[in-house]
């Protein structure tokens, strides 16, 4: 089970190398830095320069200099985090929309409109006419309408119409239907500035509205526009973990989030001219792999293998086999710059939004994307002769995986191109073959044993017939231990196993990067409208889980999942544990408002217990048959006849 740092043997092996060489990593720095418990628990207010005011809990009447109560302080801190997370995802979506517009105008060489079917579907959501128009004309209108979602001042986001009717009505009734993406994020920053909104419940209601700009706004647009330009994913196989690095090829790692550059790097790395150039430098080829959500983007569409999740980024460099780590935005540790200097690795920043002192910067822009990608690939190749063979240490661990489950493909696999629907899935849940579903998503956190929470939750849920959907670094974690391989169906409960056998899937389905949690919203919405499982997302026997959360984006995601009506459990620890009133508001308060609650539960086994209890509660409310683990799996074929009809 490792040393408490990670359960991943590849990570443990690299940590030994790091220790021998005296190299610090997040795994070692976390021991040196004791977090301030006041700030960690939501009790530190630093929004004005009379403070920071630290609420210690010793005086029941304590307040900040201005009189702010601990509850107001914690609510403001949480709301600000949610706004920052929504900003990050949505800004990613904005850049995608701007590039789509450039593609439609013929101003973004190298990009194209790859998936016309998806373009038409998105045009439909946005109320844009498609008949008799070229794909460029449609794409231009889609892009303009998408871009307008950020600056819109009044009305509501167009994609809210993709939620079940009841949910839309509830959002309107509560006044949390977002007016525009930027507007809600800015308003949250305004409201939480010193001396403004000071009623915790009121602040947290705006936090719900802000989070919806992410899930049903920026992130959903990021996913859709990515599919239009780069193709809607469908299942493919690949490998995962540090063992995917090659000791005789130029290793390039793409790390960060946006697919705009990484898609071009995939193309550049496959260019015969580039491969020849690599050979001229003594390498046998070019090996592209990914870290974090960029990895998921290029995995889902090209099968590029992920070398690891968030806590693997430093370990990858310590293998001594990485010629270039190419980063754009988000989840990029500053430590990479110093670390890469200890090896031959070139850390290349590419975004105007994220420079790191000491890194090489090659500015990306969508007008010259392919030439820039080629320059980056050439820079990596030029660096290959500098690799110090005596320091190369690639741990021999890799697993097989299947990824690429878009919402569209999941629809298709349940009946084909003409009869595709969510009927079979809903039926399987209604019959109790599948007890319910859970999204297990999110980061690694250096304060938790890497991958332990994620894999414990997944292992126990599939054993209990819960179908699991994964995204982000949670998906990479699942993949590293074989959960995304079809053979894993052997470890699923009997009913779930029957379904996996019939459809030919693993019990854990990779639906993409973190912005692709929007695919899970679409799936939930379709399940709720398909019939038999209630009328709203909050009726479904489903749960959202983020066992090893780390960043503000995760909080934004968790909150929009709650605002969409889903019970959501986060691991590690609560960022508002020092303010019991706020804890109560995001649990009972939000549940009363939107039907979902946000709960922090550090123990993965308790997360499992609470998930199963919730699923059973929802099943009972729907008057479905009580779940019985032994009802299915006896006479396979006969039982399956009922499912596939
Ligand atoms: Ni999600 Fe993706 Fe990973 Fe966490 Fe970071 S990469 S956007 S934030 S660490 S899952």
């Amino acid at each position: 089970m490792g040393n408490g740092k990670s359960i991943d043997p590849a990570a443990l092996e690299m940590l030994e190398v790091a220790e021998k060489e005296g190299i610090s990593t997040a795994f070692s720095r976390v021991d040196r830095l004791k977090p301030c418990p006041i700030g960690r628990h939501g009790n530190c207010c630093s929004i004005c320069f009379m403070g920071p005011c630290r609420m210690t809990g010793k005086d029941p009447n304590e307040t900040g200099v201005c009189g702010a109560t601990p509850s107001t302080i914690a609510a403001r801190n949480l709301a600000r985090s949610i706004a920052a997370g929504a900003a990050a995802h949505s800004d990613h979506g904005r850049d995608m929309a701007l590039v789509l517009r450039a593609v439609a105008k013929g101003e973004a060489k190298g990009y194209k409109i790859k998936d016309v079917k998806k373009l038409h579907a998105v045009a439909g959501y946005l109320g844009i006419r498609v008949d008799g128009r070229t794909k460029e004309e449609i794409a231009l209108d889609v892009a303009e309408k998408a871009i307008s979602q950020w600056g819109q001042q009044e009305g509501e986001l167009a994609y809210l119409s993709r939620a079940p009717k009841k949910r839309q009505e509830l959002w309107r009734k509560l006044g949390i239907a977002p007016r525009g993406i930027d507007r809600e994020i800015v308003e949250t920053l305004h409201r939480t500035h010193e001396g403004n909104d000071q009623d915790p419940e009121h602040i947290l209601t705006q936090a719900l509205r802000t989070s919806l700009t992410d899930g049903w706004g920026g992130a959903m647009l990021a996913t859709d526009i990515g599919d239009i330009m780069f193709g809607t994913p469908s299942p493919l196989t690949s490998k995962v973990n540090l063992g995917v690095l090659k000791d005789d090829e130029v290793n390039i790692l793409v790390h960060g989030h946006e697919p705009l550059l990484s898609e071009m790097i995939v193309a550049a790395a496959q260019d015969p001219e580039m491969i020849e150039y690599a050979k001229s430098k003594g390498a046998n080829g070019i090996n592209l792999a990914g870290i974090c959500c960029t990895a998921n983007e290029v995995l889902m569409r090209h099968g590029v293998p992920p070398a690891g999740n968030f806590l693997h980024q430093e370990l990858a460099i310590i293998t001594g086999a990485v010629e270039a780590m190419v980063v754009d935005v988000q989840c990029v540790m500053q430590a990479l710059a110093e670390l890469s200097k200890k090896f031959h690795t070139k850390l290349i920043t590419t975004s105007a939004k994220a420079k790191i002192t000491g890194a090489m910067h090659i500015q990306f822009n969508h007008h010259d994307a392919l030439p820039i990608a080629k320059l980056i690939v050439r820079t990596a190749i030029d660096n290959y002769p500098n690799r110090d063979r005596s320091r190369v240490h690639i741990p021999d661990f890799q697993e097989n995986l299947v990824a690429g489950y878009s919402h569209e493909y999941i629809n298709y696999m349940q009946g084909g191109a003409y009869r595709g629907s969510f009927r079979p899935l809903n039926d399987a849940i209604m019959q109790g073959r599948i007890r319910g579903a859970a999204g297990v998503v999110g980061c690694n956190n250096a304060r938790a044993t890497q991958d332990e929470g994620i894999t414990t939750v997944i292992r126990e849920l599939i054993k209990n017939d819960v179908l699991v959907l994964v995204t982000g670094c949670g998906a990479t974690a699942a993949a590293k231990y074989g959960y995304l391989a079809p053979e894993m169906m052997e470890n699923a409960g009997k009913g779930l196993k029957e379904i996996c056998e019939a459809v030919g899937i693993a019990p854990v389905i990779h639906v993409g990067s973190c912005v692709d949690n929007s695919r899970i919203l679409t799936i939930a919405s379709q399940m709720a409208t398909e019939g038999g499982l209630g009328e709203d997302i909050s009726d479904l026997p489903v749960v959202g889980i983020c066992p090893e959360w780390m960043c503000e984006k995760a909080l934004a995601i968790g909150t929009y999942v709650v605002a969409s009506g889903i019970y959501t459990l986060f691991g590690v620890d609560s960022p508002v544990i020092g303010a019991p009133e706020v804890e109560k508001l995001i649990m009972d308060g939000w549940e009363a408002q939107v039907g979902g609650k946000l709960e922090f539960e550090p123990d993965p086994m308790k997360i499992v217990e609470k998930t199963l209890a919730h699923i059973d509660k929802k099943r009972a409310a729907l008057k479905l048959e009580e779940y019985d683990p032994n009802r299915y799996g006896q006479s396979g074929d006969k039982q399956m006849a009922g499912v596939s009809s």
Side-chain angles (χ1 to χ4, degrees):
M1 259 297 173
N3 57 359
K5 296 285 179 202
S6 177
I7 59 163
D8 180 346
L12 296 174
E13 192 174 313
M14 292 320 298
L15 287 175
E16 265 177 40
V17 175
E19 202 176 324
K20 252 187 237 142
E21 298 213 19
I23 294 169
S24 86
T25 63
F27 292 93
S28 61
R29 290 187 296 272
V30 75
D31 293 334
R32 286 207 325 263
L33 289 161
K34 231 181 137 244
C36 165
I38 297 170
R40 188 167 171 85
H41 296 162
N43 293 134
C44 181
C45 183
S46 62
I47 63 172
C48 89
F49 202 58
M50 297 188 289
C53 295
R54 304 182 311 154
M55 305 294 107
T56 60
K58 285 181 192 142
D59 172 359
N61 297 317
E62 71 184 338
T63 68
V65 176
C66 69
T69 63
S71 296
T72 297
I73 290 168
R76 280 196 301 224
N77 288 341
L78 181 61
R80 285 203 153 204
S81 289
I82 291 163
H89 283 144
S90 295
D91 213 29
H92 166 171
R94 182 203 319 265
D95 280 344
M96 300 290 289
L98 290 170
V99 173
L100 180 65
R101 181 169 69 183
V103 175
K105 288 180 169 176
E107 293 168 356
K109 252 203 302 182
Y111 296 102
K112 58 181 183 219
I113 297 156
K114 193 166 174 186
D115 191 337
V116 177
K117 199 167 161 205
K118 180 86 181 209
L119 174 68
H120 285 192
V122 173
Y125 302 141
L126 297 174
I128 286 157
R129 197 171 55 80
V130 297
D131 291 343
R133 305 181 76 200
T134 66
K135 61 181 191 221
E136 288 76 18
E137 286 167 347
I138 301 166
L140 184 58
D141 282 359
V142 164
E144 293 288 6
K145 176 75 183 180
I147 292 163
S148 77
Q149 300 296 294
W150 276 267
Q152 191 170 287
Q153 302 302 320
E154 284 161 340
E156 62 184 44
L157 295 184
Y159 270 1
L160 300 192
S161 64
R162 293 175 62 177
K165 285 263 159 335
K166 251 182 123 175
R167 183 76 2 201
Q168 297 176 39
E169 279 156 20
L170 179 64
W171 288 335
R172 281 176 207 127
K173 193 179 113 211
L174 294 170
I176 59 169
R179 294 156 292 189
I181 297 170
D182 289 350
R183 176 160 191 190
E184 304 308 347
I185 293 167
V186 167
E187 186 168 314
T188 296
L189 293 180
H190 178 190
R191 285 204 204 189
T192 56
H193 179 276
E194 176 278 324
N196 269 341
D197 205 0
Q198 288 156 44
D199 175 64
E201 188 177 356
H202 195 239
I203 294 166
L204 292 168
T205 302
Q206 171 63 11
L208 287 172
R209 174 153 65 170
T210 307
S211 75
L212 289 171
T213 67
D214 180 348
W216 298 86
M220 200 172 267
L221 285 162
T223 296
D224 279 352
I225 295 171
D227 286 353
I228 290 170
M229 291 198 290
F230 308 126
T232 302
S234 58
L236 39 69
T237 58
S238 187
K239 301 215 179 264
V240 62
N241 215 342
L242 292 169
V244 305
L245 296 173
K246 303 235 167 91
D247 67 357
D248 60 347
E249 295 190 16
V250 175
N251 288 309
I252 302 175
L253 284 178
V254 285
H255 171 24
H257 283 77
E258 297 175 356
L260 291 169
L261 173 62
S262 52
E263 278 283 331
M264 288 297 161
I265 291 184
V266 172
Q270 289 166 352
D271 185 334
E273 206 182 304
M274 286 290 155
I275 296 169
E276 270 317 300
Y277 187 55
K279 288 186 176 159
S280 78
K281 298 284 176 184
N284 275 339
I286 303 169
N287 181 42
L288 194 62
I291 298 273
C292 283
C293 278
T294 303
N296 287 315
E297 295 281 354
V298 288
L299 165 67
M300 291 287 282
R301 299 194 179 94
H302 302 283
V304 171
N309 42 3
F310 176 72
L311 282 175
H312 265 39
Q313 56 188 293
E314 293 174 288
L315 307 181
I317 290 182
I318 299 171
T319 63
V322 176
E323 274 58 53
M325 183 178 273
V326 188
V327 303
D328 53 15
V329 291
Q330 302 165 23
C331 302
V332 179
M333 290 189 195
Q334 187 167 358
L336 295 178
E338 279 311 304
L339 178 63
S340 58
K341 283 188 199 144
K342 296 189 164 75
F343 294 85
H344 76 303
T345 308
K346 292 222 180 306
L347 176 68
I348 304 175
T349 53
T350 59
S351 169
K353 292 173 199 165
K355 286 195 175 183
I356 303 176
T357 315
M360 172 190 260
H361 189 75
I362 299 180
Q363 180 63 52
F364 167 72
N365 78 67
H366 59 264
H367 300 293
D368 301 303
L370 192 56
I372 292 167
K374 284 188 177 174
L375 172 63
I376 290 169
V377 171
R378 204 170 300 119
T379 305
I381 296 171
D382 285 336
N383 197 23
Y384 183 74
N386 298 328
R387 193 190 282 186
D388 178 350
R389 303 225 149 255
S390 70
R391 292 183 74 198
V392 171
H393 186 119
I394 301 173
D396 189 16
F397 292 103
Q398 52 180 313
E399 269 297 333
N400 293 320
L401 68 90
V402 179
Y405 290 96
S406 53
H407 153 258
E408 288 81 352
Y409 188 83
I410 295 173
N411 196 56
Y412 168 81
M413 81 188 181
Q414 301 180 76
Y418 300 104
R419 289 199 310 138
S421 79
F422 272 65
R423 194 67 257 153
L425 175 62
N426 279 25
D427 284 344
I429 292 175
M430 289 164 71
Q431 293 156 349
R433 271 198 180 80
I434 296 180
R435 188 171 182 175
V440 180
V441 310
C443 327
N444 287 146
N445 185 318
R447 297 211 177 273
T449 304
Q450 185 192 20
D451 302 340
E452 188 177 52
I454 295 165
T455 52
T456 303
V457 167
I458 293 175
R459 184 189 67 225
E460 295 301 317
L461 290 183
I462 61 170
K463 205 196 284 173
N464 283 284
D465 291 299
V466 175
L467 179 69
V468 174
L469 307 178
V470 288
T471 59
C473 290
T476 312
K480 284 195 282 176
Y481 308 90
Y483 284 100
L484 303 189
E487 299 79 54
M488 192 47 74
M489 66 174 74
E490 294 307 323
N491 298 329
K494 290 173 187 165
L496 177 59
K497 188 180 164 200
E498 277 190 354
I499 302 289
C500 292
E501 279 170 349
V503 189
I505 52 167
V508 183
I509 293 182
H510 191 336
V511 295
S513 62
C514 285
V515 294
D516 293 336
N517 282 316
S518 63
R519 296 192 202 274
I520 298 183
L521 294 181
T522 306
I523 291 166
S525 186
Q526 195 163 342
M527 284 168 72
T529 43
E530 180 67 44
L533 295 176
E535 296 174 333
D536 193 357
I537 295 173
S538 54
D539 298 328
L540 300 172
V542 302
V543 175
I545 308 171
C546 188
E548 298 173 34
W549 77 279
M550 168 276 298
C551 66
E552 292 167 316
K553 287 181 292 172
L555 290 171
I557 293 169
T559 308
Y560 74 61
V561 172
V562 169
S564 303
I566 297 173
Y567 176 32
T568 303
L569 282 148
F570 270 45
V572 191
D573 217 343
S574 162
V576 292
I577 202 170
E581 187 192 351
V582 173
E583 285 247 286
K584 207 166 168 324
L585 281 169
I586 61 174
M587 293 206 352
D588 307 345
W590 278 356
E591 191 173 34
Q593 278 183 299
V594 291
K597 63 176 171 181
L598 182 58
E599 182 171 349
F600 292 86
E601 171 53 69
D603 180 347
M605 284 310 287
K606 289 213 177 110
I607 290 180
V608 172
E609 262 170 46
K610 288 176 178 179
T611 298
L612 296 177
H614 181 79
I615 284 174
D616 289 345
K617 189 175 99 186
K618 289 291 174 186
R619 291 185 65 86
L622 287 165
K623 303 202 167 39
L624 302 179
E625 271 187 75
E626 209 176 308
Y627 164 76
D628 171 1
N630 294 313
R631 183 175 306 144
Y632 297 105
Q634 316 298 345
S635 54
D637 290 343
K638 197 160 152 246
Q639 300 288 354
M640 281 316 301
V643 174
S644 50
S645 63

